[in-house]
Amino acid sequence: AQSVSQHNHHVILSEAASLELGCNYSYGGTVNLFWYVQYPGQHLQLLLKYFSGDPLVKGIKGFEAEFIKSKFSFNLRKPSVQWSDTAEYFCAVLFCGNKLVFGAGTILRVKS
Amino acid sequence: DSGVTQTPKHLITATGQRVTLRCSPRSGDLSVYWYQQSLDQGLQFLIQYYNGEERAKGNILERFSAQQFPDLHSELNLSSLELGDSALYFCASSASDRSAHYGYTFGSGTRLTVV
């Protein structure tokens, strides 16, 4: 079955700490990969996406993600988080077809 | 504002009732997707419509149904509501099936509370 796993459900960091959120998916074929962010009380917004080319993808607000095909992973990173990065982060995978499957989400709280 | 409009923003209703959630996709988008976000299930894909036709189905209960109208807006109908149906219902849109890899645009959601 097509599935997406996010390793941590809750992450608490201090400002300026580095962030890495793990994401793995189950399917071995061609996939398109996304990270979405949901700030408190807001809708889901696209942070970054990968569908071909350079496996290191840069998104908005200083976020980046690396696609490692051999590990079926697409981890999200940010070198130095800010209080305003407090949000829930969702990894999503577009498997064959057009159904976007989301991971369970990771709630990030950044302490100021 | 993402360009995807969902109404109402909040809905409180009693068990056994029926409600209709409405979504207007971003201008020019033909595909509409419905998702349910709950604390225990996370973000679950319910159903997709493309230019008026059902294109994909996910974990949608038989008590739920949806349709997309000629003007491309979509409605999600939830009937015989149960307490467990309380959730945030998101609508998303994309230009077409083939552009889904660019990502979806999400609306702000409708928070349904069943009491």
Side-chain angles (χ1 to χ4, degrees):
Chain A
Q2 300 162 343
S3 65
V4 180
S5 301
Q6 290 184 239
H7 306 157
N8 308 96
H9 193 52
H10 281 95
V11 172
I12 301 174
L13 294 173
S14 298
E15 274 193 309
S18 64
L19 170 72
E20 180 156 4
L21 301 182
C23 172
N24 286 88
Y25 60 95
S26 63
Y27 181 65
T30 302
V31 293
N32 298 314
L33 303 157
F34 306 83
W35 277 95
Y36 281 85
V37 60
Q38 186 176 22
Y39 297 104
Q42 295 189 28
H43 60 274
L44 285 144
Q45 300 172 45
L46 184 64
L47 260 186
L48 48 79
K49 59 184 181 287
Y50 170 83
F51 45 90
S52 65
D54 189 343
L56 185 61
V57 180
K58 294 197 184 300
I60 61 171
K61 305 187 181 187
F63 286 91
E64 63 178 33
E66 185 175 13
F67 171 49
I68 303 179
K69 190 174 181 180
S70 60
K71 294 184 178 179
F72 304 112
S73 71
F74 190 55
N75 292 354
L76 181 71
R77 300 195 291 247
K78 185 170 183 178
S80 175
V81 294
Q82 301 171 318
W83 178 81
S84 58
D85 293 324
T86 294
E88 188 162 11
Y89 293 82
F90 292 90
C91 179
V93 180
L94 190 69
F95 295 100
C96 242
N98 41 38
K99 186 177 75 173
L100 198 57
V101 178
F102 284 85
T106 298
I107 296 170
L108 170 66
R109 186 164 81 86
V110 180
K111 299 184 295 184
S112 56
Chain B
D1 182 11
S2 67
V4 177
T5 304
Q6 287 189 250
T7 57
K9 290 195 184 310
H10 301 274
L11 198 50
I12 301 175
T13 190
T15 54
Q17 294 299 305
R18 173 190 166 94
V19 297
T20 297
L21 313 183
R22 183 189 167 103
C23 169
S24 294
R26 198 177 53 164
S27 178
D29 285 357
L30 299 178
S31 266
V32 170
Y33 311 81
W34 285 98
Y35 282 82
Q36 179 193 57
Q37 185 180 30
S38 60
L39 283 174
D40 55 343
Q41 298 286 331
L43 257 169
Q44 297 283 314
F45 169 72
L46 295 178
I47 197 164
Q48 180 211 354
Y49 277 81
Y50 174 71
N51 204 20
E53 292 186 4
E54 182 184 305
R55 186 57 66 100
K57 226 168 181 175
N59 301 321
I60 188 166
L61 300 171
E62 283 190 14
R63 301 183 284 108
F64 296 1
S65 65
Q67 54 185 330
Q68 186 180 28
F69 294 87
D71 67 352
L72 301 177
H73 90 270
S74 177
E75 292 181 356
L76 179 67
N77 301 298
L78 316 175
S79 61
S80 303
L81 284 167
E82 302 174 1
L83 295 177
D85 298 327
S86 295
L88 193 53
Y89 291 85
F90 281 108
C91 168
S93 71
S94 68
S96 69
D97 285 358
R98 284 183 290 279
S99 68
H101 64 280
Y102 287 106
Y104 299 174
T105 302
F106 280 83
S108 298
T110 293
R111 181 166 295 284
L112 172 67
T113 304
V114 182
V115 297

